[in-house]
Amino acid sequence: MKSLHLTFLAALAAFSLAVSACGGEGDIPAGAVAMVGGTEIRKEELDVGREQAKGNYGAQFRSAGTPEYQNVQKQLVAGLVQGEWFEQEAEALGIEVTEKEVDAQLDEFIESRFDGKPADLEKALKEANYPMEALRDSFRSS
């Protein structure tokens, strides 16, 4: 397991260098916000993340054009890029996460954060405008 962890750390360092070496927006197709290994990160994915952020921030969510809004945008794009990159690297390394493993992580999460009450998790997700599938995806990539 330690070897796998070190592999991902090395890969993350390479990813950081690759991202910092990226040029301008000229190589990004219309309708996309980023490219990762030839895969487009679509604007619609960013829109979903923005809606989720609105749910998390509530009345504190800032208007478009403000520095706070731009910061959230950058964080969302970085998260989408990182998620896609992790998926591509996992596939290249032959790492596959099963639904059984995701279910186990979800059960552990519910037990530790919601006193074993799935209904409390569902309520929290609804309040945050965060779909269950997005949570499951985060477990797949962690």
PDB file of all heavy atoms in Angstrom, residues 110-137:
ATOM      1  N   ILE A 110     -20.728   7.035   6.753  1.00  0.00           N
ATOM      2  CA  ILE A 110     -22.008   7.213   7.449  1.00  0.00           C
ATOM      3  C   ILE A 110     -21.844   6.898   8.932  1.00  0.00           C
ATOM      4  O   ILE A 110     -22.361   7.627   9.786  1.00  0.00           O
ATOM      5  CB  ILE A 110     -23.109   6.338   6.811  1.00  0.00           C
ATOM      6  CG1 ILE A 110     -23.451   6.857   5.412  1.00  0.00           C
ATOM      7  CG2 ILE A 110     -24.359   6.306   7.683  1.00  0.00           C
ATOM      8  CD1 ILE A 110     -24.331   5.926   4.594  1.00  0.00           C
ATOM      9  N   GLU A 111     -21.105   5.861   9.229  1.00  0.00           N
ATOM     10  CA  GLU A 111     -20.887   5.471  10.623  1.00  0.00           C
ATOM     11  C   GLU A 111     -20.104   6.538  11.382  1.00  0.00           C
ATOM     12  O   GLU A 111     -20.467   6.923  12.497  1.00  0.00           O
ATOM     13  CB  GLU A 111     -20.151   4.125  10.678  1.00  0.00           C
ATOM     14  CG  GLU A 111     -20.041   3.541  12.060  1.00  0.00           C
ATOM     15  CD  GLU A 111     -21.384   3.224  12.695  1.00  0.00           C
ATOM     16  OE1 GLU A 111     -22.285   2.719  12.000  1.00  0.00           O
ATOM     17  OE2 GLU A 111     -21.536   3.493  13.912  1.00  0.00           O
ATOM     18  N   SER A 112     -19.041   7.066  10.757  1.00  0.00           N
ATOM     19  CA  SER A 112     -18.180   8.015  11.464  1.00  0.00           C
ATOM     20  C   SER A 112     -18.737   9.433  11.519  1.00  0.00           C
ATOM     21  O   SER A 112     -18.501  10.154  12.476  1.00  0.00           O
ATOM     22  CB  SER A 112     -16.781   8.036  10.829  1.00  0.00           C
ATOM     23  OG  SER A 112     -16.831   8.587   9.535  1.00  0.00           O
ATOM     24  N   ARG A 113     -19.470   9.855  10.498  1.00  0.00           N
ATOM     25  CA  ARG A 113     -19.927  11.239  10.431  1.00  0.00           C
ATOM     26  C   ARG A 113     -21.397  11.432  10.769  1.00  0.00           C
ATOM     27  O   ARG A 113     -21.813  12.537  11.097  1.00  0.00           O
ATOM     28  CB  ARG A 113     -19.686  11.809   9.026  1.00  0.00           C
ATOM     29  CG  ARG A 113     -18.251  11.783   8.590  1.00  0.00           C
ATOM     30  CD  ARG A 113     -17.467  12.939   9.200  1.00  0.00           C
ATOM     31  NE  ARG A 113     -16.071  12.871   8.908  1.00  0.00           N
ATOM     32  CZ  ARG A 113     -15.467  13.413   7.874  1.00  0.00           C
ATOM     33  NH1 ARG A 113     -16.165  14.074   6.995  1.00  0.00           N
ATOM     34  NH2 ARG A 113     -14.177  13.290   7.709  1.00  0.00           N
ATOM     35  N   PHE A 114     -22.190  10.363  10.650  1.00  0.00           N
ATOM     36  CA  PHE A 114     -23.640  10.506  10.824  1.00  0.00           C
ATOM     37  C   PHE A 114     -24.200   9.464  11.795  1.00  0.00           C
ATOM     38  O   PHE A 114     -25.367   9.095  11.698  1.00  0.00           O
ATOM     39  CB  PHE A 114     -24.353  10.427   9.469  1.00  0.00           C
ATOM     40  CG  PHE A 114     -23.981  11.558   8.551  1.00  0.00           C
ATOM     41  CD1 PHE A 114     -22.959  11.403   7.615  1.00  0.00           C
ATOM     42  CD2 PHE A 114     -24.609  12.787   8.644  1.00  0.00           C
ATOM     43  CE1 PHE A 114     -22.600  12.450   6.775  1.00  0.00           C
ATOM     44  CE2 PHE A 114     -24.254  13.835   7.818  1.00  0.00           C
ATOM     45  CZ  PHE A 114     -23.249  13.667   6.882  1.00  0.00           C
ATOM     46  N   ASP A 115     -23.329   9.001  12.704  1.00  0.00           N
ATOM     47  CA  ASP A 115     -23.741   8.028  13.728  1.00  0.00           C
ATOM     48  C   ASP A 115     -24.486   6.834  13.136  1.00  0.00           C
ATOM     49  O   ASP A 115     -25.436   6.321  13.725  1.00  0.00           O
ATOM     50  CB  ASP A 115     -24.601   8.697  14.807  1.00  0.00           C
ATOM     51  CG  ASP A 115     -23.823   9.735  15.594  1.00  0.00           C
ATOM     52  OD1 ASP A 115     -22.625   9.506  15.855  1.00  0.00           O
ATOM     53  OD2 ASP A 115     -24.415  10.771  15.932  1.00  0.00           O
ATOM     54  N   GLY A 116     -24.071   6.415  11.945  1.00  0.00           N
ATOM     55  CA  GLY A 116     -24.663   5.247  11.316  1.00  0.00           C
ATOM     56  C   GLY A 116     -26.053   5.465  10.752  1.00  0.00           C
ATOM     57  O   GLY A 116     -26.763   4.501  10.463  1.00  0.00           O
ATOM     58  N   LYS A 117     -26.459   6.713  10.576  1.00  0.00           N
ATOM     59  CA  LYS A 117     -27.815   7.018  10.099  1.00  0.00           C
ATOM     60  C   LYS A 117     -27.784   7.525   8.659  1.00  0.00           C
ATOM     61  O   LYS A 117     -27.537   8.704   8.394  1.00  0.00           O
ATOM     62  CB  LYS A 117     -28.450   8.070  10.999  1.00  0.00           C
ATOM     63  CG  LYS A 117     -28.569   7.619  12.450  1.00  0.00           C
ATOM     64  CD  LYS A 117     -29.084   8.744  13.319  1.00  0.00           C
ATOM     65  CE  LYS A 117     -29.064   8.323  14.773  1.00  0.00           C
ATOM     66  NZ  LYS A 117     -29.307   9.458  15.662  1.00  0.00           N
ATOM     67  N   PRO A 118     -28.087   6.628   7.702  1.00  0.00           N
ATOM     68  CA  PRO A 118     -28.082   7.043   6.286  1.00  0.00           C
ATOM     69  C   PRO A 118     -29.040   8.200   5.997  1.00  0.00           C
ATOM     70  O   PRO A 118     -28.756   9.038   5.141  1.00  0.00           O
ATOM     71  CB  PRO A 118     -28.513   5.772   5.542  1.00  0.00           C
ATOM     72  CG  PRO A 118     -28.219   4.652   6.477  1.00  0.00           C
ATOM     73  CD  PRO A 118     -28.372   5.207   7.861  1.00  0.00           C
ATOM     74  N   ALA A 119     -30.162   8.261   6.703  1.00  0.00           N
ATOM     75  CA  ALA A 119     -31.124   9.342   6.465  1.00  0.00           C
ATOM     76  C   ALA A 119     -30.506  10.704   6.782  1.00  0.00           C
ATOM     77  O   ALA A 119     -30.810  11.702   6.105  1.00  0.00           O
ATOM     78  CB  ALA A 119     -32.379   9.129   7.296  1.00  0.00           C
ATOM     79  N   ASP A 120     -29.628  10.752   7.786  1.00  0.00           N
ATOM     80  CA  ASP A 120     -28.964  12.016   8.122  1.00  0.00           C
ATOM     81  C   ASP A 120     -28.006  12.446   7.016  1.00  0.00           C
ATOM     82  O   ASP A 120     -27.891  13.634   6.705  1.00  0.00           O
ATOM     83  CB  ASP A 120     -28.227  11.900   9.455  1.00  0.00           C
ATOM     84  CG  ASP A 120     -29.164  11.836  10.650  1.00  0.00           C
ATOM     85  OD1 ASP A 120     -30.395  12.002  10.470  1.00  0.00           O
ATOM     86  OD2 ASP A 120     -28.658  11.610  11.766  1.00  0.00           O
ATOM     87  N   LEU A 121     -27.321  11.467   6.410  1.00  0.00           N
ATOM     88  CA  LEU A 121     -26.452  11.777   5.281  1.00  0.00           C
ATOM     89  C   LEU A 121     -27.282  12.301   4.114  1.00  0.00           C
ATOM     90  O   LEU A 121     -26.935  13.321   3.513  1.00  0.00           O
ATOM     91  CB  LEU A 121     -25.662  10.543   4.835  1.00  0.00           C
ATOM     92  CG  LEU A 121     -24.931  10.687   3.495  1.00  0.00           C
ATOM     93  CD1 LEU A 121     -23.886  11.786   3.542  1.00  0.00           C
ATOM     94  CD2 LEU A 121     -24.322   9.365   3.068  1.00  0.00           C
ATOM     95  N   GLU A 122     -28.371  11.620   3.805  1.00  0.00           N
ATOM     96  CA  GLU A 122     -29.219  12.043   2.694  1.00  0.00           C
ATOM     97  C   GLU A 122     -29.752  13.460   2.911  1.00  0.00           C
ATOM     98  O   GLU A 122     -29.802  14.261   1.979  1.00  0.00           O
ATOM     99  CB  GLU A 122     -30.362  11.051   2.509  1.00  0.00           C
ATOM    100  CG  GLU A 122     -29.893   9.712   1.984  1.00  0.00           C
ATOM    101  CD  GLU A 122     -30.966   8.642   1.993  1.00  0.00           C
ATOM    102  OE1 GLU A 122     -32.163   8.975   2.098  1.00  0.00           O
ATOM    103  OE2 GLU A 122     -30.592   7.463   1.886  1.00  0.00           O
ATOM    104  N   LYS A 123     -30.110  13.781   4.145  1.00  0.00           N
ATOM    105  CA  LYS A 123     -30.595  15.126   4.465  1.00  0.00           C
ATOM    106  C   LYS A 123     -29.479  16.161   4.244  1.00  0.00           C
ATOM    107  O   LYS A 123     -29.704  17.213   3.649  1.00  0.00           O
ATOM    108  CB  LYS A 123     -31.086  15.176   5.912  1.00  0.00           C
ATOM    109  CG  LYS A 123     -31.591  16.534   6.330  1.00  0.00           C
ATOM    110  CD  LYS A 123     -32.027  16.538   7.775  1.00  0.00           C
ATOM    111  CE  LYS A 123     -32.436  17.943   8.209  1.00  0.00           C
ATOM    112  NZ  LYS A 123     -32.675  18.026   9.647  1.00  0.00           N
ATOM    113  N   ALA A 124     -28.273  15.831   4.708  1.00  0.00           N
ATOM    114  CA  ALA A 124     -27.136  16.751   4.554  1.00  0.00           C
ATOM    115  C   ALA A 124     -26.803  16.959   3.078  1.00  0.00           C
ATOM    116  O   ALA A 124     -26.513  18.083   2.647  1.00  0.00           O
ATOM    117  CB  ALA A 124     -25.921  16.223   5.309  1.00  0.00           C
ATOM    118  N   LEU A 125     -26.857  15.892   2.299  1.00  0.00           N
ATOM    119  CA  LEU A 125     -26.580  16.012   0.864  1.00  0.00           C
ATOM    120  C   LEU A 125     -27.621  16.891   0.180  1.00  0.00           C
ATOM    121  O   LEU A 125     -27.281  17.731  -0.655  1.00  0.00           O
ATOM    122  CB  LEU A 125     -26.555  14.629   0.208  1.00  0.00           C
ATOM    123  CG  LEU A 125     -25.370  13.732   0.569  1.00  0.00           C
ATOM    124  CD1 LEU A 125     -25.557  12.338  -0.026  1.00  0.00           C
ATOM    125  CD2 LEU A 125     -24.055  14.336   0.122  1.00  0.00           C
ATOM    126  N   LYS A 126     -28.875  16.706   0.557  1.00  0.00           N
ATOM    127  CA  LYS A 126     -29.951  17.508  -0.045  1.00  0.00           C
ATOM    128  C   LYS A 126     -29.769  18.985   0.307  1.00  0.00           C
ATOM    129  O   LYS A 126     -29.899  19.857  -0.552  1.00  0.00           O
ATOM    130  CB  LYS A 126     -31.302  17.007   0.440  1.00  0.00           C
ATOM    131  CG  LYS A 126     -32.460  17.703  -0.226  1.00  0.00           C
ATOM    132  CD  LYS A 126     -33.788  17.120   0.196  1.00  0.00           C
ATOM    133  CE  LYS A 126     -34.916  17.831  -0.538  1.00  0.00           C
ATOM    134  NZ  LYS A 126     -36.220  17.285  -0.193  1.00  0.00           N
ATOM    135  N   GLU A 127     -29.454  19.275   1.567  1.00  0.00           N
ATOM    136  CA  GLU A 127     -29.253  20.662   1.996  1.00  0.00           C
ATOM    137  C   GLU A 127     -28.078  21.312   1.267  1.00  0.00           C
ATOM    138  O   GLU A 127     -28.087  22.500   0.996  1.00  0.00           O
ATOM    139  CB  GLU A 127     -29.037  20.726   3.508  1.00  0.00           C
ATOM    140  CG  GLU A 127     -30.293  20.448   4.308  1.00  0.00           C
ATOM    141  CD  GLU A 127     -30.033  20.341   5.807  1.00  0.00           C
ATOM    142  OE1 GLU A 127     -28.856  20.451   6.251  1.00  0.00           O
ATOM    143  OE2 GLU A 127     -31.011  20.119   6.553  1.00  0.00           O
ATOM    144  N   ALA A 128     -27.057  20.508   0.967  1.00  0.00           N
ATOM    145  CA  ALA A 128     -25.867  21.031   0.293  1.00  0.00           C
ATOM    146  C   ALA A 128     -25.992  20.982  -1.224  1.00  0.00           C
ATOM    147  O   ALA A 128     -25.053  21.377  -1.927  1.00  0.00           O
ATOM    148  CB  ALA A 128     -24.643  20.239   0.739  1.00  0.00           C
ATOM    149  N   ASN A 129     -27.139  20.478  -1.723  1.00  0.00           N
ATOM    150  CA  ASN A 129     -27.337  20.346  -3.161  1.00  0.00           C
ATOM    151  C   ASN A 129     -26.218  19.505  -3.781  1.00  0.00           C
ATOM    152  O   ASN A 129     -25.649  19.838  -4.814  1.00  0.00           O
ATOM    153  CB  ASN A 129     -27.410  21.729  -3.824  1.00  0.00           C
ATOM    154  CG  ASN A 129     -27.973  21.670  -5.226  1.00  0.00           C
ATOM    155  OD1 ASN A 129     -28.752  20.781  -5.549  1.00  0.00           O
ATOM    156  ND2 ASN A 129     -27.560  22.607  -6.064  1.00  0.00           N
ATOM    157  N   TYR A 130     -25.883  18.419  -3.080  1.00  0.00           N
ATOM    158  CA  TYR A 130     -24.769  17.554  -3.479  1.00  0.00           C
ATOM    159  C   TYR A 130     -25.303  16.157  -3.743  1.00  0.00           C
ATOM    160  O   TYR A 130     -25.756  15.476  -2.829  1.00  0.00           O
ATOM    161  CB  TYR A 130     -23.720  17.541  -2.362  1.00  0.00           C
ATOM    162  CG  TYR A 130     -22.369  17.030  -2.789  1.00  0.00           C
ATOM    163  CD1 TYR A 130     -21.483  17.875  -3.445  1.00  0.00           C
ATOM    164  CD2 TYR A 130     -21.972  15.728  -2.517  1.00  0.00           C
ATOM    165  CE1 TYR A 130     -20.227  17.420  -3.835  1.00  0.00           C
ATOM    166  CE2 TYR A 130     -20.725  15.275  -2.902  1.00  0.00           C
ATOM    167  CZ  TYR A 130     -19.855  16.122  -3.556  1.00  0.00           C
ATOM    168  OH  TYR A 130     -18.620  15.673  -3.940  1.00  0.00           O
ATOM    169  N   PRO A 131     -25.271  15.698  -4.987  1.00  0.00           N
ATOM    170  CA  PRO A 131     -25.838  14.390  -5.312  1.00  0.00           C
ATOM    171  C   PRO A 131     -25.050  13.231  -4.690  1.00  0.00           C
ATOM    172  O   PRO A 131     -23.825  13.302  -4.555  1.00  0.00           O
ATOM    173  CB  PRO A 131     -25.740  14.312  -6.836  1.00  0.00           C
ATOM    174  CG  PRO A 131     -25.339  15.654  -7.304  1.00  0.00           C
ATOM    175  CD  PRO A 131     -24.772  16.397  -6.146  1.00  0.00           C
ATOM    176  N   MET A 132     -25.755  12.171  -4.350  1.00  0.00           N
ATOM    177  CA  MET A 132     -25.117  10.975  -3.793  1.00  0.00           C
ATOM    178  C   MET A 132     -24.064  10.442  -4.759  1.00  0.00           C
ATOM    179  O   MET A 132     -22.995  10.011  -4.335  1.00  0.00           O
ATOM    180  CB  MET A 132     -26.173   9.911  -3.493  1.00  0.00           C
ATOM    181  CG  MET A 132     -25.588   8.592  -3.004  1.00  0.00           C
ATOM    182  SD  MET A 132     -24.740   8.704  -1.412  1.00  0.00           S
ATOM    183  CE  MET A 132     -26.144   8.658  -0.313  1.00  0.00           C
ATOM    184  N   GLU A 133     -24.353  10.483  -6.047  1.00  0.00           N
ATOM    185  CA  GLU A 133     -23.395   9.951  -7.019  1.00  0.00           C
ATOM    186  C   GLU A 133     -22.087  10.745  -6.994  1.00  0.00           C
ATOM    187  O   GLU A 133     -21.008  10.176  -7.188  1.00  0.00           O
ATOM    188  CB  GLU A 133     -23.989   9.926  -8.425  1.00  0.00           C
ATOM    189  CG  GLU A 133     -23.193   9.100  -9.400  1.00  0.00           C
ATOM    190  CD  GLU A 133     -22.938   7.657  -8.955  1.00  0.00           C
ATOM    191  OE1 GLU A 133     -23.809   7.016  -8.324  1.00  0.00           O
ATOM    192  OE2 GLU A 133     -21.837   7.152  -9.247  1.00  0.00           O
ATOM    193  N   ALA A 134     -22.156  12.039  -6.736  1.00  0.00           N
ATOM    194  CA  ALA A 134     -20.934  12.842  -6.632  1.00  0.00           C
ATOM    195  C   ALA A 134     -20.121  12.414  -5.412  1.00  0.00           C
ATOM    196  O   ALA A 134     -18.890  12.356  -5.470  1.00  0.00           O
ATOM    197  CB  ALA A 134     -21.275  14.329  -6.553  1.00  0.00           C
ATOM    198  N   LEU A 135     -20.800  12.102  -4.317  1.00  0.00           N
ATOM    199  CA  LEU A 135     -20.110  11.616  -3.130  1.00  0.00           C
ATOM    200  C   LEU A 135     -19.451  10.273  -3.428  1.00  0.00           C
ATOM    201  O   LEU A 135     -18.291  10.045  -3.086  1.00  0.00           O
ATOM    202  CB  LEU A 135     -21.080  11.496  -1.948  1.00  0.00           C
ATOM    203  CG  LEU A 135     -20.488  10.968  -0.639  1.00  0.00           C
ATOM    204  CD1 LEU A 135     -19.402  11.898  -0.108  1.00  0.00           C
ATOM    205  CD2 LEU A 135     -21.587  10.781   0.396  1.00  0.00           C
ATOM    206  N   ARG A 136     -20.186   9.380  -4.082  1.00  0.00           N
ATOM    207  CA  ARG A 136     -19.640   8.072  -4.440  1.00  0.00           C
ATOM    208  C   ARG A 136     -18.431   8.242  -5.366  1.00  0.00           C
ATOM    209  O   ARG A 136     -17.430   7.538  -5.215  1.00  0.00           O
ATOM    210  CB  ARG A 136     -20.714   7.197  -5.066  1.00  0.00           C
ATOM    211  CG  ARG A 136     -21.824   6.788  -4.075  1.00  0.00           C
ATOM    212  CD  ARG A 136     -22.877   5.907  -4.715  1.00  0.00           C
ATOM    213  NE  ARG A 136     -22.324   4.624  -5.119  1.00  0.00           N
ATOM    214  CZ  ARG A 136     -22.163   3.587  -4.313  1.00  0.00           C
ATOM    215  NH1 ARG A 136     -22.503   3.662  -3.035  1.00  0.00           N
ATOM    216  NH2 ARG A 136     -21.653   2.459  -4.774  1.00  0.00           N
ATOM    217  N   ASP A 137     -18.517   9.186  -6.295  1.00  0.00           N
ATOM    218  CA  ASP A 137     -17.382   9.448  -7.194  1.00  0.00           C
ATOM    219  C   ASP A 137     -16.161   9.910  -6.397  1.00  0.00           C
ATOM    220  O   ASP A 137     -15.035   9.542  -6.728  1.00  0.00           O
ATOM    221  CB  ASP A 137     -17.738  10.508  -8.238  1.00  0.00           C
ATOM    222  CG  ASP A 137     -18.653   9.981  -9.326  1.00  0.00           C
ATOM    223  OD1 ASP A 137     -18.798   8.746  -9.463  1.00  0.00           O
ATOM    224  OD2 ASP A 137     -19.235  10.817 -10.043  1.00  0.00           O
TER     225      ASP A 137
END
